[in-house]
Amino acid sequence: MNRREFLKRLGLGATVSAAALAGCDAARGTDTEQAAAGEIPHEKMTCRTNPATGDRVSLLGYGCMRWPTVKTDTGNEIDQETVNRLVDKAIEYGVNYFDTSPAYCKGRSERATGIALKRHPRDRYFIATKLSNFDPSTWSREASLAMYRNSFAELQTDRIDYLLLHGVGMGGMEALRGRYLDNGVLDFLLAEREAGRIRNLGFSYHGEVEVFDYLLAQHDRYKWDFVQIQLNYLDWRHAKEINRRNTDAEYLYGELEKRGIPAVIMEPLLGGRLSKVPDHIVTRLKQREPQRSVASWAFRFAGTHPGVLTVLSGMTRMEHLDDNLRSFCPLQPLDEEEMQYLYGTADLMMQYPTIPCNDCKYCMPCPYGLDIPAILLHYNKCVNEGSVPESRQAENYWQARRAYLVGYDRAVPRERQADRCIGCGKCVHHCPQSIDIPKQLRRIDRFVEELKRNR
């Protein structure tokens, strides 16, 4: 079946509304209608209760991985003034969960987040950060505890509301033992929770499911207060197809739900890919909810699951924040028919898969100067827009070929493009999605060279 025939088979359906979930304040139908239409109601943020501590947590959480930057004489720096404005508006509309890490924004996210939050009363927000001791040089007890204590200084706080073991599963059981178990660091963190300096202790999961299963099997011992997982309507049943080392979100969420452990959701948009879906998917979703953004479907999907405590979004610009506030002030959950519609949408998207890059930039900097995320994201963007020519027989082949090449040179400086990759593999070890980055870069480079030869 070619793309033209494939698009003709897309299903369409009527719009179906759903009752709003209970939020921080009672939600009324008119509020939901106003939010969908563009207005953002005050004091209508949907919240969930953490059974471990009774915290009332906003269902929209602020991911602080992608703070805005500004060019300075010394390079790109975090734009603290804009960060402050984003945090102010988020808190004004009820967002109270802010998730950061020593690894985010080249090590500068915690400080910027702390500066912005310190300007508000401490009882207005929850701070989540991580023990991000990925590199073996930080696995020792001394280095790990130094990182932990530095988070308090950077965030200007005397307590961490939500502390995570960061990215367990990456490196398998060997890394888990080296980072947290054999060095006594997890025992130390349990004692810190007992002392009140950590209010909730959990972990974020990427990679080998053996580690996830092991830590949940130890729940009676560790009493996890929450767990952070990757969940969206594409990963719900297709995560392993996208990347064989990933685990379907349906399984991860189900295991947490069985134990009554609240789920914190990362990558509800798959690094933005579910807000930049192919044009035929845009049409499919817009015909159901013309007033809502494409991204709102993904956020509502994540928020509809009752075991979800908060859904993280890295909102770099004010329009991102505004759109997400419309989705959660209050949440209009999906009904069963709409959930099935999204499962069908995911099945359609899997027929034209993109590279599972989430633009986290953990692969950077490349020792040879490549802009790896920009290369992969340009390819994904062109797949989504239909400007990756599939064959010379395709109706739009020549137009698409030219669009791809022009866009590539605009998106990625030539000295930082895929042809500069020597295959050293340093980036692979840092990728949470376990992408074989050199392989993908070689494939893109061959593709580009073929297009150039056939000008």
Side-chain angles (χ1 to χ4, degrees), residues 10 107 123 138 177 187 193 211 221 308 347 439 449 451:
L10 292 177
D123 61 358
T138 63
R177 287 190 290 267
D187 289 334
R193 180 175 63 179
V211 180
R221 175 183 177 187
V308 168
D347 292 342
K439 179 180 178 180
E449 288 304 311
L451 295 181

Side-chain angles (χ1 to χ4, degrees), residues 28-41:
R28 298 177 182 175
T30 53
D31 295 323
T32 302
E33 292 162 8
Q34 289 170 354
E39 296 181 40
I40 306 170

Side-chain angles (χ1 to χ4, degrees), residues 10 16 40 63 74 78 86 107 119 127 187 227-228 237 239 264 269 293 336 368 400 423 451:
L10 292 177
V16 179
I40 306 170
T74 57
I78 290 180
L86 288 165
R119 299 154 50 252
I127 293 176
D187 289 334
V227 172
Q228 187 165 306
R237 292 173 180 164
V264 171
L269 290 181
S293 69
E336 181 58 30
Y368 296 92
L451 295 181

